Amino acid sequence: MKRILIIGIGAGNPDYITAQAIAALNQVDVFFLMDKGEAKQAMIALRRDICTRFIRPDRRYRFAEARSPDWSRDAGEYGTVIDGLNRDKQAVFEQLIGAELQDGQCAGILVWGDPALYDSTIRIIDSIASSGRHAIDYEVIPGISSLQALTARHRTTLNRIGRPVEITTGRRLAAGGWPADADSVFVMLDADQAFARLAGADLDIFWGAYIGTPDEILVAGRLADVADEITRKRAAARAAHGWIMDSYLLRRRDRD
Ligand SMILES: C[S@@+](CC[C@H](N)C(=O)[O-])C[C@H]1O[C@@H](n2cnc3c(N)ncnc32)[C@H](O)[C@@H]1O
């Protein structure tokens, strides 16, 4: 049997690593890394730093790198494109499991943030396990998500007392507007600043980019007052780094 540990490493700061994740890191023989693009390079650098910092010096481990499959947001309907991407990623993982992992060994996949939040690694590994093509067993170790990192950095809560929260993507927010009956909405994967379309609504925004990293930028306030500032800072940061990862919490102001 081959073992796979899907380890949440937190969303940007190596100090987000949990004691459970450190114990898991120290069981791994080979780490699977997927490489592509400038953002991915920064993320791979964090993964290597984490291994250097948290794995005991007497442990031997190695990295097996594979190229992440190419994809484009504009190649068709979003869901279909992502399904295709995940099929391609599954093929890459199967290749790594077959070629790089011996029976009795343990592989680690270091997932940004928490593996349960907008990440397909669990789905992909589960699909490989149930295909029967490889004898694998896998475990999931939770991590600190961007959602938790953002609320902590803004010293705020995700929900108000007894109120619900919706977690969604920029694409959905842009297409559907403010979700009916929503009180707080956490938005991820927003390439086009969907919040700007809501600047007329009475909302607060808690926005953050590169949270937990030395490049972190935070802005909070009434959306109508800070939307332009966020747009400006976001464009400047994206131009400076060549990529951006940001997320935000929107909250209605007209309720206690
Ligand atoms: C594919 S999702 C992965 C989320 C991740 N599994 C998590 O737990 O946060 C990527 C999105 O997460 C958000 N994100 C992840 N890390 C972030 C960070 N350090 N700062 C701001 N947003 C972040 C961004 O919205 C980004 O587009």
Side-chain angles (χ1 to χ4, degrees), residues 89-251:
K89 280 190 176 173
Q90 176 166 335
V92 173
F93 275 126
E94 290 209 42
Q95 200 276 329
L96 287 168
I97 291 167
E100 302 284 351
L101 189 62
Q102 307 305 313
D103 203 28
Q105 284 194 327
C106 177
I109 304 175
L110 304 183
V111 175
W112 192 264
D114 181 76
L117 190 65
Y118 285 102
D119 187 279
S120 291
T121 310
I122 296 177
R123 266 186 295 273
I124 291 170
I125 299 302
D126 186 59
S127 161
I128 295 173
S130 30
S131 76
R133 286 190 290 275
H134 302 267
I136 58 169
D137 190 16
Y138 71 96
E139 271 176 62
V140 178
I141 287 91
I144 299 207
S145 65
S146 52
L147 186 158
Q148 292 157 297
L150 178 114
T151 49
R153 293 296 292 134
H154 281 291
R155 301 184 300 179
T156 190
T157 57
L158 183 59
N159 62 288
R160 282 191 285 200
I161 299 174
R163 302 277 186 175
V165 178
E166 175 146 344
I167 301 173
T168 191
T169 63
R171 174 178 293 263
R172 282 194 169 271
L173 189 68
W178 185 255
D181 297 331
D183 189 60
S184 299
V185 178
F186 186 78
V187 185
M188 313 175 69
L189 293 159
D190 185 358
D192 298 314
Q193 305 170 124
F195 61 83
R197 300 173 186 230
L198 298 170
D202 201 14
L203 301 171
D204 280 327
I205 184 167
F206 301 86
W207 175 83
Y210 318 103
I211 301 160
T213 76
D215 300 312
E216 178 179 276
I217 314 169
L218 300 172
V219 177
R222 189 181 188 145
L223 181 60
D225 296 340
V226 298
D228 287 349
E229 179 189 348
I230 296 173
T231 302
R232 224 176 27 253
K233 288 188 169 164
R234 193 176 186 279
R238 184 181 211 150
H241 295 277
W243 59 282
I244 189 159
M245 59 181 175
D246 63 332
S247 41
Y248 49 92
L249 178 66
L250 293 168
R251 184 180 284 159

Side-chain angles (χ1 to χ4, degrees), residues 61-88:
Y61 62 89
R62 63 194 176 83
F63 295 101
E65 286 191 41
R67 204 179 134 69
S68 184
D70 289 322
W71 72 288
S72 159
R73 275 177 220 285
D74 309 318
E77 193 270 322
Y78 187 71
T80 313
V81 171
I82 296 298
D83 284 347
L85 171 67
N86 285 339
R87 265 196 307 278
D88 293 346

